């Protein structure tokens, strides 16, 4: 079980990319009018509220960070750590084994579109 499944109970989307700007994505089989409508709708969604499939999602940023953790082979699922968000701030809560893992997670979280900062004040090391 990965981060996304454990924290949010959802499976990894078929075509996912946490590194690209999700707001620019549009369905491959959409008509030009549908694609324009989708882009217009997505542009009105704040980046931190953009879901895994381009929809509005209150926890969109946290889910995309969890997906980024799943996609990074250097980050194992740590059952004692949780990902949340407050606005465009990624909030990590819980316990990690060491500072190096936490540093890697901070780096990955900062690379997700819409992440303004990463709060680790609720993380214990050891």
């Amino acid at each position: 079980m990965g981060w996304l499944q454990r924290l949010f109970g959802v499976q990894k989307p078929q075509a996912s990319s946490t590194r690209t700007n999700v707001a620019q994505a549009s369905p491959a089989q959409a008509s030009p009018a549908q694609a324009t409508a989708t882009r217009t709708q997505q542009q009105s969604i704040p980046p931190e509220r953009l879901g895994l499939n381009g929809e509005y999602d209150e926890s969109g940023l946290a889910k995309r960070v969890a997906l980024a953790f799943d996609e990074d082979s250097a980050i194992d699922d740590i059952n004692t750590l949780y990902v949340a968000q407050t606005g465009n701030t990624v909030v990590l809560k819980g316990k990690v084994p060491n500072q190096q893992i936490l540093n890697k997670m901070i780096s990955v979280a900062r690379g997700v579109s819409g992440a303004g900062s990463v709060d680790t004040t609720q993380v214990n090391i050891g």
Side-chain angles (χ1 to χ4, degrees):
M1 180 180 302
W3 289 91
L4 194 59
Q5 177 67 37
R6 178 176 61 86
L7 296 175
F8 299 102
V10 295
Q11 297 293 325
K12 182 177 175 180
Q14 291 291 344
S16 66
S17 177
T18 57
R19 300 288 182 219
T20 59
N21 185 350
V22 180
Q24 299 298 321
S26 63
Q29 297 178 353
S31 70
Q34 289 171 325
T36 300
T38 300
R39 280 192 300 274
T40 301
Q41 176 189 11
Q42 289 174 346
Q43 289 171 352
S44 66
I45 299 173
E48 68 273 11
R49 300 291 183 216
L50 196 59
L52 296 172
N53 298 304
E55 76 286 3
Y56 181 88
D57 186 336
E58 283 288 326
S59 300
L61 176 59
K63 288 178 182 174
R64 288 184 285 118
V65 169
L67 178 60
F69 289 168
D70 281 337
E71 291 178 339
D72 193 308
S73 62
I75 300 176
D76 292 326
D77 187 10
I78 302 170
N79 290 328
T80 56
L81 192 75
Y82 300 89
V83 180
Q85 74 180 81
T86 302
N88 69 349
T89 300
V90 176
V91 181
L92 301 178
K93 303 176 183 184
K95 186 176 179 179
V96 296
N98 59 57
Q99 185 66 47
Q100 292 77 14
I101 291 172
L102 181 59
N103 290 344
K104 175 65 175 170
M105 296 176 85
I106 292 168
S107 175
V108 169
R110 284 184 178 151
V112 175
S113 176
S117 62
V118 180
D119 177 1
T120 60
T121 59
Q122 299 178 60
V123 176
N124 294 315
I125 299 170

